[in-house]
Amino acid sequence: QVQLVESGGGLVQAGGSLRLSCAASGRTFSRPAMGWFRHCPGKEREFVAAISWSGGSIAYADSVKGRFTISRDNAKNTVYLQMNSLKSEDTAVYYCAADPSRSWTIVRDESEYDYWGQGTQVTVSS
């Protein structure tokens, strides 16, 4: 079985930064596309960022573009989300997801992802 474990969440003041990590373990992936999603209170889960296996294709939600950076280290089976200039509206549970069926494209649709982490809470105080 594949496991995704997020870490790096916490409480930060508005304008601050956090770096989330998502480590994959278990059955070896076949070059998965990876994504980050978030679930804000009172809203549906939404797309944040996605990255192809090579890192050559990246996409961001408009709400985080210019502030968040997604990256990956395939040797460590880890994907990262660097979050800068955080705002109170970034408060959410952040989830990483993996889609082993797609390597060279980015995936925005959460229904396309097969594996999910348990989530990590990010709270931004204003």
Side-chain angles (χ1 to χ4, degrees):
Q1 186 62 282
V2 172
Q3 291 183 330
L4 301 177
V5 179
E6 301 98 335
S7 61
L11 174 64
V12 63
Q13 289 187 335
S17 299
L18 282 175
R19 188 195 195 201
L20 305 184
S21 299
C22 173
S25 62
R27 183 169 61 87
T28 303
F29 276 121
S30 57
R31 303 183 176 183
M34 300 290 293
W36 285 97
F37 292 78
R38 67 186 182 187
H39 189 192
C40 305
K43 298 182 179 180
E44 295 185 351
R45 188 161 59 185
E46 63 179 6
F47 168 77
V48 175
I51 186 169
S52 62
W53 180 82
S54 68
S57 295
I58 289 175
Y60 297 97
D62 288 343
S63 58
V64 306
K65 200 173 295 183
R67 300 187 298 122
F68 291 11
T69 303
I70 189 172
S71 62
R72 66 191 298 164
D73 184 339
N74 291 333
K76 296 181 179 180
N77 291 323
T78 301
V79 64
Y80 305 96
L81 186 68
Q82 177 67 43
M83 306 186 295
N84 298 329
S85 302
L86 283 162
K87 306 175 181 179
S88 57
E89 51 262 45
D90 294 319
T91 294
V93 178
Y94 284 73
Y95 299 89
C96 70
D99 180 0
S101 66
R102 300 170 193 252
S103 297
W104 310 111
T105 59
I106 52 174
V107 183
R108 295 175 182 264
D109 186 349
E110 65 174 273
S111 67
E112 299 291 333
Y113 286 91
D114 299 309
Y115 301 99
W116 291 83
Q118 81 291 348
T120 185
Q121 176 71 46
V122 171
T123 303
V124 183
S125 63
S126 56

